[in-house]
Amino acid sequence: SVKHNMVTPLLLGVAIAGIAYAARGGYRTFRQLQSNQNMKNRVKSAMGQKPQSTANPIRRRNTGFEPKMSKREAHLILNIPQSSDADEVRQAHRQMMQRNHPDRGGSLYMATKINEAKDILTRKGSTT
């Protein structure tokens, strides 16, 4: 009878510990999934895109960057029409850099590409 009284609390403690461990794992998984979704939303926001359900049906390439940036790709990176003038390019560049600057948590690689896009579109003698 004494052993029975000691085993019950022990089993209860093991059961509670198991439930707590499972809940901890579930919570970590939830936070990781939530973080991944937040990252996707931040990337879309940084690129000036709306969620897929409300975005205009624009055909986008999913092949990454071209080896040598073209004017077309520069316009896509800055998310401006090809008919944009130099002031619109500078304004779009400024907005993109505010969102993507490495000092504010942005990617150095993306900041480099944004600067390259601006340079290509504002070169002397370039026509947009």
Side-chain angles (χ1 to χ4, degrees):
S1 175
V2 173
K3 286 184 182 179
H4 180 64
N5 287 339
M6 291 178 66
V7 171
T8 302
L10 178 65
L11 290 175
L12 184 61
V14 169
I16 290 172
I19 291 169
Y21 186 74
R24 178 178 166 223
Y27 179 72
R28 283 185 171 180
T29 301
F30 170 76
R31 293 289 298 196
Q32 187 174 14
L33 291 173
Q34 188 178 29
S35 175
N36 289 343
Q37 186 60 41
N38 287 341
M39 182 60 73
K40 288 178 186 177
N41 289 339
R42 285 176 45 199
V43 168
K44 283 184 179 181
S45 174
M47 295 302 291
Q49 296 176 357
K50 296 178 183 175
Q52 192 66 28
S53 60
T54 60
N56 293 332
I58 298 174
R59 187 171 163 206
R60 299 208 185 259
R61 295 174 20 168
N62 291 327
T63 57
F65 295 107
E66 297 173 4
K68 183 174 186 238
M69 187 180 294
S70 66
K71 288 184 180 182
R72 180 184 175 279
E73 184 178 29
H75 283 101
L76 288 172
I77 289 171
L78 294 177
N79 198 27
I80 55 176
Q82 291 190 0
S83 60
S84 300
D85 62 17
D87 288 334
E88 292 170 321
V89 170
R90 280 191 285 280
Q91 183 180 4
H93 171 265
R94 186 175 194 284
Q95 289 173 350
M96 293 296 281
M97 285 304 293
Q98 285 176 341
R99 293 184 197 138
N100 294 286
H101 198 280
D103 291 347
R104 298 180 72 184
S107 161
L108 179 61
Y109 182 72
M110 284 303 298
T112 303
K113 286 299 194 179
I114 293 166
N115 285 330
E116 184 181 357
K118 177 191 159 245
D119 292 344
I120 286 174
L121 296 176
T122 57
R123 246 187 242 148
K124 286 187 179 181
S126 102
T127 57
T128 53

